[in-house]
Amino acid sequence: MNQAGAVRVEIVPDSGAEADRIAEILREAHLRGGAEWQQLAVICPAGADAVSALAGRLSAAGIPVQIAGDELALGNEPPVRQLLAVLQSAALLADTGQLQPPTAERLLRTPLGGLDALGLRRLARQLRLRASLADPDAFLPASGSLIAAELVAPELIDDDQRADSTELDALISMRRLLTELAGLIKEDADIPALLWKAWSATSWPRRLQVEALRGTESSVRAHRDLDAVVALFDLAGRQTGQHGSAGVRALLAEVQAQQIAADTARESDPRRDSVAIVTPYRAKGRQWDLVVLTGLQEGRWPRINEPGGLLRADLLGPDGFQPPETPAERMAAERRSFLLAASRARKRLVAVAIADPGGEIEEPSRFISELGVDVVERRPESLPTTLEDLIALLRRRATDSSLSPALRQAAATELAWLADQRDDRGRALAPGADPHQWWGLRGITDTGRGPSVDKEPIRLSGSKVEAILACPRKWFLEGPAKGRAPKNVAMVLGTLVHELVAESALTRTPAETYSQRLAEIWSQLPYEAAWYAQAQYEQAVEALRNYDIWASSSDHAALVGVELPFQLNLELAGRTVVVDGTVDRLEVDSLNRLRVIDFKTGNQARSDAEVLEMDQLGIYQLAVREGAFDEATGGVRELGGAQVVYLKVPRRDGPAVRSQPPLEPSGPTWVHEHLTRAAEIIATQDYYANVQPRCRSCEFRLGCPAQSAGGEQE
Ligand code: SF4
């Protein structure tokens, strides 16, 4: 490393500019110098906080980074803080039955709670309204207290009530989660199980996954959040023997103390093409093409203060207390660490320090003069260094009527070139450069030119009608447009549980006896993490156990059949509509009427009110009424209603069960009305966006015309 320009020292005005400049140096080396990310490193003096903070800034700037487990200040990572806040609150609830107002508000503002500041205010308004309607003369407590009380126990809105608003929906979900976690804590559940419950209870993991796979700059942040969660699970997995609220407290203390062993497997994973952020100690024995040194301020590097803190833990050696280092020895050690860090660069070394004219930051380190090169003052350039920034700049130039025609034409030519670039599978490399992708330039879609749909008959699936009516746009993008991610291994759980439950009913064998078979199947599923596979397996066994409780306690006089397919031909508003589906279970109740059963393996149960007009159950009942199962029932059509059994949602006496009353024995019903509306949407191809409480977890929120700012705000 002796050619000209191989060593550079740069001075920037503040810490914000320092992180921006480092991001710029790394991006230049990657984009213009052709270096792989993994050939680049940033070395900063010891301190997990500093490493973590720098990693956060670089991630936010779109640089993929990796940190060793013991240099990742887990407690500084937002997703870790948020998960721990939920666990801590649940432990508090289990121990004292109370939540403090600021804690309650903070919880609802985490991604698990899903509200922002505005949402929180709207929630408070709705609760106040409900409280004053319930008792007009009552003294209303402050908003925070009202929210905290409602999170602890339902006073103003029950879990089973229809929420009618995103905010109340968020409150109910958070209350369910806290209650379930507090219940598990009281039962002395172990820490990984508690953590898994908190992590998997909402759509947050799915949102992060979608974001991470999107391949945009914000994906870097999502990857980093997922890494932090994985590191937290690793840590929790090592806390064997920790249970209940004592275990939660131990985990919190562990995270705060940063006693995390290095995860060398992840650190050395060659598939992770990312910039290493390390301390000099961890840089030992490694080299990179480009090394950026940072943290070069007096007092930090060299660190002049006494190390080891009040307890002087640094003096503890294998043979007891050692004599303290002299200042000269300490300075020599700091210099050695600096030289070690500088020598890690194979081709280029850049040292970045801050010279703060306001004097709030210490002087640049004395070590930079020892590199023997001139100091250059730098400010981060405002030129774009990411593809998105470049496209945005060109678009602004191309459409800015105040610029010269020649400049606008040049910008348009660059955009056209970018829009033509393809990868080796023919996919656009810069889709944002194509004007066809820009908002507001397209005409309104002529539904007559949409994907072709058979005029007659209209075909509907019994399990999809509800999705069509809830939001036609979402249904279309997920279904016909095939915009949904393919089934992942976790979704196999539902299919397997359904199959085993059906077999259990036919063979009259308890479903739990199939857990051994389930274990054999499970061992062949390609789960990426053993703890996740184990958690999923335990949930599947729990679902089978819940089924056994349900099957033994209900009045199931006689089984007609399981997994029964049907087809229903209807004439609705002048259209022929064919509805098909499969009923999980059809049985005869104690009054000799036919009852439809549907099993669900989701983590949340609908409320009683929601199930009253649950389309899927209504359609199955209609199929029974119209004779679709005559062959199996011997012509009996009298309805005894329907039930939905939530096998993964435990209640005191078995799984959560919701019932739907029998349909009228003849004539039009609410089911006909819903089917008519769904058929109308399919026939007219009017896939409009319908705002609903589940918009929060919708994968197609980005760009949804029904959301504010085109859905770009989370
Ligand atoms: S965000 Fe809401 S309105 Fe938009 S597509 Fe998704 S569910 Fe429909």
Side-chain angles (χ1 to χ4, degrees):
M1 200 187 62
N2 49 8
Q3 66 271 43
V7 180
R8 222 165 59 208
V9 176
E10 297 188 0
I11 293 290
V12 291
D14 53 50
S15 55
E18 183 187 37
D20 290 348
R21 179 62 194 142
I22 293 172
E24 231 170 49
I25 294 167
L26 295 169
R27 210 180 282 118
E28 272 170 15
H30 178 65
L31 294 178
R32 300 196 179 130
E36 304 269 329
W37 290 117
Q38 62 198 359
Q39 292 165 353
L40 316 176
V42 181
I43 304 182
C44 60
D49 278 10
V51 174
S52 225
L54 179 63
R57 299 290 298 265
L58 294 181
S59 287
I63 306 287
V65 295
Q66 56 165 307
I67 317 174
D70 56 356
E71 286 173 355
L72 177 69
L74 267 189
N76 286 348
E77 296 296 311
V80 170
R81 279 209 307 270
Q82 286 145 0
L83 277 170
L84 291 181
V86 172
L87 282 192
Q88 191 178 21
S89 305
L92 200 70
L93 198 60
D95 291 347
T96 67
Q98 287 182 348
L99 277 183
Q100 293 305 315
T103 310
E105 291 183 339
R106 252 199 319 274
L107 282 179
L108 285 166
R109 288 186 62 179
T110 62
L112 288 154
L115 294 185
D116 55 15
L118 210 62
L120 206 59
R121 279 211 295 279
R122 280 199 293 259
L123 173 65
R125 259 205 312 274
Q126 291 168 40
L127 289 179
R128 293 176 83 82
L129 184 67
R130 280 174 180 260
S132 48
L133 285 176
D135 183 356
D137 301 325
F139 167 75
L140 288 184
S143 303
S145 307
L146 209 56
I147 292 173
E150 201 58 27
L151 262 188
V152 171
E155 295 285 338
L156 302 170
I157 179 158
D158 287 341
D159 279 1
D160 290 345
Q161 252 171 291
R162 189 182 276 272
D164 289 334
S165 84
T166 310
E167 293 79 25
L168 289 173
D169 203 39
L171 178 128
I172 291 173
S173 302
M174 179 54 78
R175 182 170 63 211
R176 277 198 195 121
L177 175 60
L178 287 175
T179 311
E180 285 174 18
L181 280 171
L184 288 170
I185 287 171
K186 283 184 189 159
E187 288 167 14
D188 243 9
D190 66 13
I191 295 302
L194 291 170
L195 203 53
W196 177 246
K197 178 82 205 164
W199 169 243
S200 60
T202 68
S203 59
W204 184 34
R206 177 87 189 120
R207 294 203 306 270
L208 272 182
Q209 187 194 8
V210 169
E211 196 58 54
L213 294 177
R214 210 172 252 157
T216 60
E217 276 190 42
S218 58
S219 305
V220 175
R221 179 74 241 177
H223 274 294
R224 184 170 156 72
D225 285 352
L226 288 168
D227 276 356
V229 173
V230 170
L232 180 64
F233 270 100
D234 285 345
L235 175 65
R238 288 198 293 272
Q239 295 217 311
T240 46
Q242 296 284 8
H243 300 268
S245 40
V248 172
R249 282 194 294 276
L251 179 67
L252 285 165
E254 183 86 356
V255 170
Q256 273 159 11
Q258 289 296 303
Q259 293 162 356
I260 308 161
D263 180 351
T264 46
R266 276 195 304 130
E267 195 183 348
S268 57
D269 184 348
R271 289 169 303 171
R272 293 173 63 85
D273 184 18
S274 43
V275 177
I277 303 186
V278 289
T279 55
Y281 172 73
R282 294 198 64 87
K284 255 186 201 166
R286 302 171 72 186
Q287 279 202 307
W288 296 267
D289 285 354
L290 165 70
V291 168
V292 180
L293 302 181
T294 180
L296 285 163
Q297 309 303 134
E298 283 294 300
R300 236 188 115 193
W301 207 2
R303 190 154 56 121
I304 300 160
N305 295 338
E306 296 274 329
L310 271 180
L311 297 178
R312 299 308 314 268
D314 58 309
L315 301 184
L316 259 180
D319 306 318
F321 277 96
Q322 313 291 317
E325 278 179 329
T326 64
E329 284 170 336
R330 200 155 53 242
M331 185 57 72
E334 289 288 294
R335 180 167 284 108
R336 276 198 302 278
S337 92
F338 173 75
L339 293 176
L340 170 86
S343 65
R344 300 303 87 202
R346 263 192 229 106
K347 296 180 181 166
R348 279 178 63 210
L349 175 73
V350 185
V352 182
I354 303 169
D356 174 22
E360 287 182 14
I361 297 178
E362 293 289 347
E363 291 285 293
S365 166
R366 68 192 74 180
F367 291 156
I368 58 177
S369 63
E370 297 178 17
L371 290 172
V373 292
D374 290 341
V375 173
V376 184
E377 281 194 26
R378 289 299 296 251
R379 280 179 184 278
E381 294 173 13
S382 55
L383 282 176
T385 45
T386 67
L387 185 58
E388 282 85 354
D389 289 350
L390 175 65
I391 292 171
L393 179 73
L394 290 172
R395 280 171 59 169
R396 280 199 301 277
R397 296 280 188 271
T399 54
D400 186 347
S401 56
S402 67
L403 297 177
S404 72
L407 186 58
R408 294 179 63 191
Q409 179 57 48
T413 308
E414 290 296 323
L415 279 172
W417 182 84
L418 280 170
D420 275 348
Q421 302 310 303
R422 295 279 182 276
D423 67 9
D424 45 11
R425 289 164 66 187
R427 292 174 304 192
L429 283 171
D434 182 351
H436 291 102
Q437 307 287 331
W438 301 356
W439 285 103
L441 292 188
R442 291 186 182 180
I444 294 173
T445 308
D446 173 358
T447 53
R449 286 188 278 113
S452 67
V453 167
D454 294 341
K455 286 277 176 284
E456 296 275 324
I458 303 287
R459 293 191 172 275
L460 293 172
S461 157
S463 57
K464 294 286 184 290
V465 169
E466 187 168 304
I468 298 173
L469 295 178
C471 177
R473 175 179 185 268
K474 181 170 187 277
W475 169 79
F476 175 75
L477 292 174
E478 274 180 351
K482 302 200 182 334
R484 184 171 213 169
K487 259 192 177 188
N488 62 32
V489 70
M491 292 164 81
V492 171
L493 185 148
T495 313
L496 282 175
V497 168
H498 270 84
E499 280 178 14
L500 294 180
V501 157
E503 200 167 322
S504 157
L506 290 174
T507 57
R508 295 169 193 270
T509 322
E512 202 185 343
T513 53
Y514 293 104
S515 39
Q516 180 55 36
R517 202 163 112 204
L518 198 63
E520 283 160 20
I521 300 171
W522 225 257
S523 64
Q524 291 162 27
L525 295 178
Y527 281 105
E528 288 194 353
W531 58 264
Y532 183 63
Q534 182 62 26
Q536 289 280 296
Y537 170 73
E538 280 165 15
Q539 285 191 20
V541 173
E542 189 61 30
L544 296 182
R545 217 172 277 140
N546 281 331
Y547 167 78
D548 286 337
I549 298 173
W550 173 83
S552 63
S553 65
S554 299
D555 58 338
H556 313 295
L559 177 71
V560 175
V562 293
E563 300 289 332
L564 296 172
F566 70 87
Q567 192 174 75
L568 191 58
N569 299 316
L570 299 166
E571 287 300 317
L572 297 171
R575 289 196 175 93
T576 305
V577 178
V578 177
V579 189
D580 55 24
T582 302
V583 169
D584 284 345
R585 176 180 172 118
L586 188 61
E587 60 183 25
V588 179
D589 69 10
S590 52
L591 299 174
N592 221 18
R593 301 171 309 176
L594 289 165
R595 184 165 55 200
V596 167
I597 309 289
D598 191 61
F599 297 112
K600 297 279 182 220
T601 51
N603 288 324
Q604 288 191 358
R606 301 256 183 105
S607 66
D608 285 327
E610 285 171 315
V611 172
L612 289 181
E613 290 202 359
M614 188 170 166
D615 290 307
Q616 195 178 359
L617 294 187
I619 289 167
Y620 293 169
Q621 287 209 65
L622 188 64
V624 174
R625 192 188 90 168
E626 298 303 313
F629 302 106
D630 275 359
E631 214 173 292
T633 64
V636 176
R637 297 184 184 182
E638 193 184 347
L639 288 169
Q643 278 186 357
V644 55
V645 183
Y646 293 94
L647 294 174
K648 277 173 59 190
V649 183
R651 292 288 179 260
R652 240 173 309 149
D653 48 355
V657 179
R658 305 279 184 259
S659 298
Q660 187 177 74
L663 286 186
E664 294 80 3
S666 61
T669 63
W670 59 267
V671 183
H672 291 86
E673 195 256 317
H674 288 199
L675 285 170
T676 307
R677 279 200 282 132
E680 171 81 9
I681 290 168
I682 305 291
T684 58
Q685 301 179 51
D686 183 10
Y687 305 123
Y688 57 90
N690 187 36
V691 176
Q692 45 153 338
R694 291 197 174 85
C695 286
R696 271 194 313 139
S697 55
C698 175
E699 290 170 51
F700 308 103
R701 191 179 163 122
L702 192 72
C704 173
Q707 298 293 327
S708 60
E712 285 170 20
Q713 305 301 315
E714 253 306 302

